[in-house]
Structure formats: structure tokens, C-alpha cells
Amino acid sequence: MKFGVIIFPGSNCDHDAYWTIQQVARQSATFLWHESQDLENCDAIIVPGGFAYGDYLRTGAIAKFSPVMESVKKFAEGGGLVLGICNGFQILCESALLPGALMRNVGLKYVCKPVHVRVENDDTPFTQACRQGEVLSIPIGHMEGNYFCDDSTLAQLRREQRIVFRYATPAGEITPEANPNGSLDNIAGISSAGRNVLGMMPHPERASEAELGCVEGFKIFQSLVGSMATR
Amino acid sequence: MKAYVYVSLKKSVLDPQGKTIYGALNKMGFKGLEAVRQGKFFEITLDRDLTKPEAQAEVERIAREVLTNPVIEEYRFSFED
């Protein structure tokens, strides 16, 4: 299995993702430069967190026009696995690989803390090592994580079971207090219709080793490796 | 020729920044305010050789495809000759 981790000017979670894939998941990983259209035959692409192109104009607004994203779009349309984390989720929404948009947090503050998310769908390549309803503790760190979409899109996401993670209490209850940023329906992560693209605001790569205080995020990488083995 | 592009959140989208500014203005004693919405403003200087219809088409495309996220934002623009 070969993972490609994209580097935009301003990415800052690229090395964390690379480390997790190589050192923890024991898979091969390579960095992909934003100006290259060559995905180097990778089996899965990670669009990492950070501030691509300084988040100028809007988060992800400039990144979506980069050469590498053209290839990622084609890769995703052909069923390729794409995981967007935090800024990566914002970029995937801007690129229309996922519906909706991530707006400024309702509290107007950058929020950086561990949160709990409930796995709403374990039948995806990103969550197959989880159980439906399982609560994972994974940190967030963002200013624009407030997920928004129109009513018909939300209805469609629900109908097609594409809401993959929702902010919850440690016991798994979906409450307004558990929502750190005002996201519609407590949405923390969604998938594409084909389930091969996932965007999530929490950082699983920051919760993949005991040394980091939490390993529950590793289930996302474990799921990916498992699903790639059977693809 | 200059184009002025105004980008704002759609009416249906909550604007927490505008709301906070509105609250602050009220606290400061400004009277008669109903609401504040925050947006973005772009000043684009265009090549002199462009005709008005060409400029209009170009700015429209820039506003629609780049400056605005259609999920949450809308735009309008004007020209200064």
C-alpha cells in the first residue's frame, strides 16, 4: 500500500500524517508537491491539515486550483481513496469533492482541544475498523470548522448515510454542548457518495500513538490499510 | 478601469462576526441599527484595452469562480471608469 501526502505551501500536518503512515501503520508513504500532477501510483491520498496558501481568500480557495488537486479530483472520480483532514477537509469541500462548506467557528475563536466524535457509519474504507456508535477521542485545532450545507444537501447526506462522524459527549450523546464550532447537525466528518472520499475536522494523526496521549485516531489509518488490502 | 467586487454571506447563512459587531455597536450606544453583515471587498484594476462588455464578463467570472464560495456566499460588482 502506498500513501501520498500532499504538501501545499502552508501545510503543517503533512509530516505528522507521513510519520503515522510510515512508523505506526508501517506502510509506504511519499510526499506529493502541490505543483506536480503526478500522484506516483499511490493507492490513497492524504490532504493534510495546515493553512494551504495561507488560507488567503477563503480556506482551501486557492489550493483547489493547484495542479495536484486536478489529479486528486480525477483520482477520486475514479474511486481512489482520499482522506482530507482539517484544512484538507476544507480543501475537499472547496474542490466540490465533498458538499457544503466550513465556516468560521460560531464562537469566533480558534479551538484546539480533544473532542469526542461518534462513528455514524462504520461501512466506509475509513471506519471499517470501528463500530457503529463507537465514540473516539481525537483532537481538533481549527478556526473554520463550522460545517454548513443547505437543507436538501443535509437531507441527502442523512439519507445516503454519508455523515460519518458527529461531535458527541464521551457517552456518545449528540448535544449542542458537545459541538465545539457550531457545525450543522454536529457534523465532524462526511464522505462522498461513493464512500471513497472522507473529510474530517479532527486530526487522527495526532491521536495515533500512546506517546501522544491517545491512540483512537489510529483506527482511521487501520481502516484504510485494511480496506486497501481487500480492494 | 477599476472593478469593485463585494462578497457577502447569503442571507440564509448565519454571520457570527456581523452579529458580534452589531452587539458591540449597540453596547457603544449607536442607535437605530437593525443588523450588521460582514463581507469582503476587492478592488480589481483592469487592462485599459478591455471593452466594457469584456470587462464585465471577466469580472463576473472571477467573482463567481474564485472570489465566492457559492455554498455560503453571494457577490455583486460595479465599475469605476
Side-chain angles (χ1 to χ4, degrees):
Chain A
M1 311 300 153
K2 187 173 163 193
F3 287 74
V5 180
I6 297 177
I7 305 180
F8 296 103
S11 295
N12 64 13
C13 302
D14 40 356
H15 282 268
D16 307 52
Y18 186 88
W19 171 274
T20 304
I21 293 158
Q22 266 205 336
Q23 302 294 320
V24 192
R26 300 279 170 202
Q27 302 294 315
S28 92
T30 185
F31 285 120
L32 301 170
W33 186 234
H34 67 114
E35 283 180 326
S36 166
Q37 289 201 318
D38 184 5
L39 299 185
E40 298 179 20
N41 293 317
C42 286
D43 303 293
I45 301 295
I46 311 280
V47 190
F51 302 84
Y53 297 89
D55 275 354
Y56 295 158
L57 186 59
R58 297 179 306 276
T59 57
I62 312 287
K64 77 169 160 185
F65 296 112
S66 64
V68 77
M69 284 310 295
E70 258 180 64
S71 304
V72 170
K73 266 185 231 171
K74 282 184 205 137
F75 179 73
E77 281 157 14
L81 294 169
V82 180
L83 169 61
I85 301 166
C86 195
N87 193 221
F89 185 11
Q90 295 161 344
I91 293 168
L92 294 179
C93 285
E94 277 283 343
S95 305
L97 283 171
L98 292 171
L102 291 142
M103 298 180 50
R104 180 69 63 96
N105 295 343
V106 151
L108 299 178
K109 288 208 169 73
Y110 185 94
V111 183
C112 185
K113 63 176 187 183
V115 296
H116 292 91
V117 293
R118 192 171 80 186
V119 178
E120 302 294 292
N121 185 353
D122 60 6
D123 188 19
T124 81
F126 307 90
T127 51
Q128 63 162 26
C130 308
R131 275 177 299 104
Q132 187 107 1
E134 182 176 355
V135 177
L136 305 176
S137 172
I138 306 180
I140 54 166
H142 60 246
M143 179 69 119
E144 283 94 0
N146 176 1
Y147 183 79
F148 177 84
C149 64
D150 61 29
D151 292 342
S152 67
T153 306
L154 180 62
Q156 187 186 6
L157 289 175
R158 283 183 180 147
R159 200 168 53 240
E160 297 174 357
Q161 293 178 301
R162 288 165 55 187
I163 300 169
V164 180
F165 299 112
R166 291 171 81 200
Y167 298 109
T169 65
E173 288 161 303
I174 306 295
T175 66
E177 293 74 30
N179 188 340
N181 52 28
S183 281
L184 193 66
D185 210 29
N186 281 42
I187 287 174
I190 56 168
S191 79
S192 61
R195 305 269 192 268
N196 59 308
V197 180
L198 178 88
M200 62 191 294
M201 287 314 294
H203 285 271
E205 80 284 11
R206 291 186 192 172
S208 286
E209 285 176 286
E211 290 88 338
L212 297 174
C214 182
V215 296
E216 291 171 15
F218 189 61
K219 287 195 172 175
I220 312 304
F221 294 96
Q222 224 181 328
S223 298
L224 264 174
V225 173
S227 70
M228 282 152 78
T230 56
R231 260 165 99 92
Chain B
M1 187 170 27
K2 274 184 181 170
Y4 302 118
V5 184
Y6 307 84
V7 174
S8 53
L9 289 171
K10 286 180 179 172
K11 300 271 178 298
S12 56
V13 176
L14 184 73
D15 173 15
Q17 293 182 95
K19 234 174 125 181
T20 303
I21 296 165
Y22 171 75
L25 291 174
N26 267 318
K27 265 188 217 151
M28 290 162 75
F30 287 101
K31 301 261 182 283
L33 307 178
E34 267 187 36
V36 177
R37 305 281 287 172
Q38 181 175 318
K40 292 176 194 159
F41 169 69
F42 302 87
E43 184 183 302
I44 302 173
T45 307
L46 295 147
D47 197 305
R48 283 175 197 283
D49 299 338
L50 284 186
T51 64
K52 191 74 188 272
E54 281 171 341
Q56 213 131 20
E58 204 68 349
V59 171
E60 162 90 44
R61 242 189 89 205
I62 291 169
R64 191 181 61 241
E65 293 179 14
V66 183
L67 301 183
T68 314
N69 179 339
V71 177
I72 49 173
E73 295 170 322
E74 56 194 16
Y75 62 87
R76 62 189 174 81
F77 57 86
S78 61
F79 288 94
E80 181 211 63
D81 293 312

